[in-house]
Amino acid sequence: MNLRSGRLKGQMSREVADFTSSLEFDRRIFQADILTNRAHTTMLVEQEIIPSNIGKQILNALEQLEKEGIAALDLDSAVEDIHMAVENYVTSVMGPDAGFMHTAKSRNDQVATDLKIALKEEIREIQKELLTFIEIILEMATENLDTLMVGYTHLQHAQPTTFAHHLLSYAQALKRDYGRLQDAYHRMDLCPLGSAALTTTSFPINRERTAELLGFSGPMENSIDGVSSRDFIAETVFALTMLGTTLSKICEELIIWSTYEFRMVELGDDFSSTSSIMPQKKNPDVAEIVRGKTAVLNGELVTILTIIKSLPQSYNRDLQEVTPHLWKATDTLSSALTITMGMLSSAKFKGERGEELARANFSAATELADLMVLDAGLPFRTAHQIVGRAVTVALDEGMKAEDIDTHFLDEISQELTGQTLNIDNAVVKKSLNPRDIIQSRKVIGGPAPSMVQEVIGNLRDFVGKNKKVLPEE
């Protein structure tokens, strides 16, 4: 079928056809296009808009195409897009009556519908992977409830915590990433089909029916918006970009923690490489590649936003150029998610090194200041000043945290405030013990094992609840 022959004279040059064709990335919506044509044809027959015998032939041809697969189509760029390729196939099977398939619809509403169908499926697959990743993290956290490490701010030693507590920070970030994808899914779950070119149609179509057949919650309520809006793509790619940021941060920490200076993690050999010249090297190449590839998502998001930001309503061909950036984003994220999940699950946390760092460099200083507030009745800022001076003096004199006692603190307090603290020495020692500090953090979100276990339970409930609503394979 030659779509141009009615209105236009001659054919596009090969160069122009190649330039304007969307076939290269339309392959992603092949299955969705069959579903859209099937639902639309079914509705046309039910509404008695086209003869039922012709509708049956169209549906049979679409079923045959689905079995044969995309290889059965003529994907020459002169065909322009997947929609015409499918229509041409049906025409080759049943003749000119295939044209009834396009009654009361346009490629404008068809492509918008196809994109939503395909993207909804992509989101669901990513969400399944996310729930699996969270489960893996919960298992790792359960195994490391008492595994000490030091927490960082500004990449400097801050306070003692546990690997479990730190791992749950990843799980919470991934939970939010899941929620952003869920929000995007819900907002795109309205069907554009029936918007036609931009003002619907005079045929008595049933848009609720096609929305139902295609698994949407309902039809879009403005036909101009139906054919021209691509914010559902921008929103999804934003959610993917944020998820990519989460993955990149996880990889960044694995890279840092696996260095000799930190020695907190040993990455699996499957996720490492060696040097071409330095045989002793074990390089975290895979984590570095994830960190680099997720930057692509930022670029795809900005490109999509730039394409759609200045377009007039309603449909413009520029929108075609959004699609390849969408699929590049979904493919990049999906592979990065799978790789990061495998890499983190195979990493071995070094508990002895974690405890060594937790006990070093006065990471218990905050607890000591809190003790002065509780036992000596000092304002926190005064306690902060005393402890800060105590750490400075201890460092100058080569002392370790365990060398600090109540006598030492009284000397510092006397110098700064003119008063002694008279805190029991056993209490001082307890306040400097990382394990005792962690046990005392029995606050929602804190690292005390009992609180961490409670959060693990909450996250397990979240995973279980959402697994139930995701469709099976």
Side-chain angles (χ1 to χ4, degrees):
M1 181 191 302
N2 185 351
L3 188 64
R4 298 168 56 86
S5 60
R7 174 65 177 83
L8 303 175
K9 297 177 181 179
Q11 298 298 311
M12 282 184 175
S13 69
R14 171 60 62 179
E15 182 180 15
V16 173
D18 289 345
F19 182 76
T20 59
S21 175
S22 63
L23 281 172
E24 181 181 350
F25 43 86
D26 275 354
R27 295 173 180 271
R28 297 290 286 265
I29 58 173
F30 167 67
Q31 182 63 35
D33 201 66
I34 291 176
L35 294 175
T36 297
N37 279 306
R38 181 181 292 156
H40 186 70
T41 301
T42 299
M43 180 274 297
L44 292 176
V45 170
E46 291 176 351
Q47 294 295 109
E48 299 183 349
I49 295 172
I50 65 172
S52 59
N53 64 317
I54 291 177
K56 185 175 181 180
Q57 291 179 62
I58 293 171
L59 293 173
N60 288 339
L62 290 170
E63 182 179 359
Q64 180 178 324
L65 173 58
E66 187 174 32
K67 290 178 180 178
E68 293 180 16
I70 195 169
L73 297 180
D74 175 11
L75 296 180
D76 187 279
S77 60
V79 178
E80 292 191 34
D81 56 34
I82 196 76
H83 319 298
M84 290 310 305
V86 169
E87 189 170 332
N88 288 348
Y89 175 91
V90 177
T91 301
S92 73
V93 172
M94 58 177 289
D97 282 349
F100 279 104
M101 182 173 68
H102 202 62
T103 305
K105 73 175 169 64
S106 164
R107 286 187 294 179
N108 294 356
D109 61 338
Q110 189 168 345
V111 68
T113 305
D114 289 357
L115 285 171
K116 285 191 171 186
I117 292 171
L119 186 52
K120 284 170 64 180
E121 184 175 344
E122 291 278 353
I123 288 175
R124 286 311 195 203
E125 290 305 311
I126 292 171
Q127 286 184 307
K128 290 175 185 177
E129 285 284 283
L130 270 176
L131 293 179
T132 299
F133 196 5
I134 292 172
E135 282 186 308
I136 289 171
I137 290 174
L138 297 182
E139 288 299 320
M140 296 175 72
T142 300
E143 295 169 2
N144 287 279
L145 289 171
D146 298 305
T147 307
L148 289 181
M149 65 172 286
V150 67
Y152 294 84
T153 60
H154 308 280
L155 206 56
Q156 303 292 323
H157 285 204
Q159 293 177 306
T161 185
T162 64
F163 278 112
H165 187 230
H166 196 96
L167 284 165
L168 289 186
S169 72
Y170 298 161
Q172 295 292 350
L174 293 170
K175 178 183 176 184
R176 291 193 298 276
D177 290 320
Y178 184 97
R180 275 186 281 268
L181 285 169
Q182 187 74 354
D183 290 343
Y185 184 97
H186 284 315
R187 268 187 286 278
M188 77 172 69
D189 195 27
L190 294 172
C191 186
L193 193 61
S195 298
L198 79 159
T199 62
T200 69
T201 176
S202 57
F203 288 101
I205 62 173
N206 185 339
R207 293 191 63 203
E208 287 83 3
R209 176 60 172 154
T210 48
E212 176 189 23
L213 289 170
L214 291 171
F216 288 93
S217 60
M220 296 182 73
E221 293 187 335
N222 184 280
S223 56
I224 293 176
D225 183 48
V227 300
S228 62
S229 61
R230 295 295 186 273
D231 57 302
F232 68 93
I233 292 179
E235 183 177 12
T236 300
V237 175
F238 169 75
L240 297 178
T241 302
M242 288 304 302
L243 174 51
T245 299
T246 301
L247 300 179
S248 182
K249 291 175 69 175
I250 293 172
C251 289
E252 170 72 2
E253 292 201 323
L254 291 176
I255 291 167
I256 293 172
W257 290 357
S258 65
T259 62
Y260 179 82
E261 286 74 17
F262 280 76
R263 299 194 300 280
M264 289 166 58
V265 165
E266 178 79 18
L267 293 178
D269 289 350
D270 291 350
F271 298 95
S272 305
S273 72
T274 190
S275 167
S276 63
I277 189 173
M278 295 169 284
Q280 84 283 5
K281 295 293 292 299
K282 183 175 181 180
N283 296 327
D285 281 18
V286 176
E288 291 172 349
I289 291 295
V290 172
R291 190 175 58 183
K293 280 184 176 292
T294 49
V296 170
L297 299 167
N298 298 47
E300 303 300 347
L301 175 60
V302 171
T303 300
I304 291 168
L305 291 172
T306 304
I307 291 172
I308 67 177
K309 75 174 184 63
S310 58
L311 296 182
Q313 301 284 49
S314 57
Y315 183 82
N316 297 272
R317 193 68 179 270
D318 313 49
L319 294 174
Q320 172 181 297
E321 295 305 303
V322 170
T323 308
H325 299 287
L326 167 64
W327 301 135
K328 180 68 178 295
T330 57
D331 289 348
T332 298
L333 187 282
S334 294
S335 61
L337 177 57
T338 300
I339 291 294
T340 305
M341 182 163 50
M343 183 164 46
L344 182 62
S345 64
S346 70
K348 296 179 181 177
F349 291 100
K350 299 182 177 180
E352 290 185 6
R353 177 60 173 167
E355 183 164 353
E356 177 187 346
L357 292 173
R359 293 184 181 279
N361 206 22
F362 301 95
S363 66
T366 303
E367 186 70 12
L368 194 57
D370 290 345
L371 174 64
M372 293 179 185
V373 174
L374 291 171
D375 275 33
L378 295 181
F380 181 78
R381 287 303 174 203
T382 303
H384 186 285
Q385 184 183 24
I386 293 171
V387 174
R389 177 66 62 82
V391 169
T392 299
V393 172
L395 289 171
D396 289 343
E397 297 182 3
M399 298 170 60
K400 296 181 180 180
E402 55 263 32
D403 298 327
I404 292 177
D405 57 18
T406 187
H407 177 71
F408 177 74
L409 294 176
D410 280 344
E411 288 182 345
I412 300 295
S413 178
Q414 182 70 43
E415 175 189 344
L416 293 177
T417 69
Q419 296 178 344
T420 58
L421 301 170
N422 298 317
I423 301 174
D424 184 87
N425 196 55
V427 177
V428 171
K429 294 298 184 181
K430 187 177 178 65
S431 73
L432 292 169
N433 186 320
R435 292 199 178 277
D436 289 328
I437 292 171
I438 288 166
Q439 288 290 345
S440 72
R441 296 295 200 264
K442 294 180 180 178
V443 179
I444 294 174
S450 61
M451 303 310 300
V452 170
Q453 286 177 312
E454 183 175 326
V455 173
I456 288 174
N458 293 339
L459 285 168
R460 288 195 191 283
D461 290 343
F462 168 80
V463 170
K465 176 182 176 182
N466 283 281
K467 274 191 168 183
K468 290 179 181 178
V469 300
L470 290 180
E472 297 293 334
E473 296 291 343

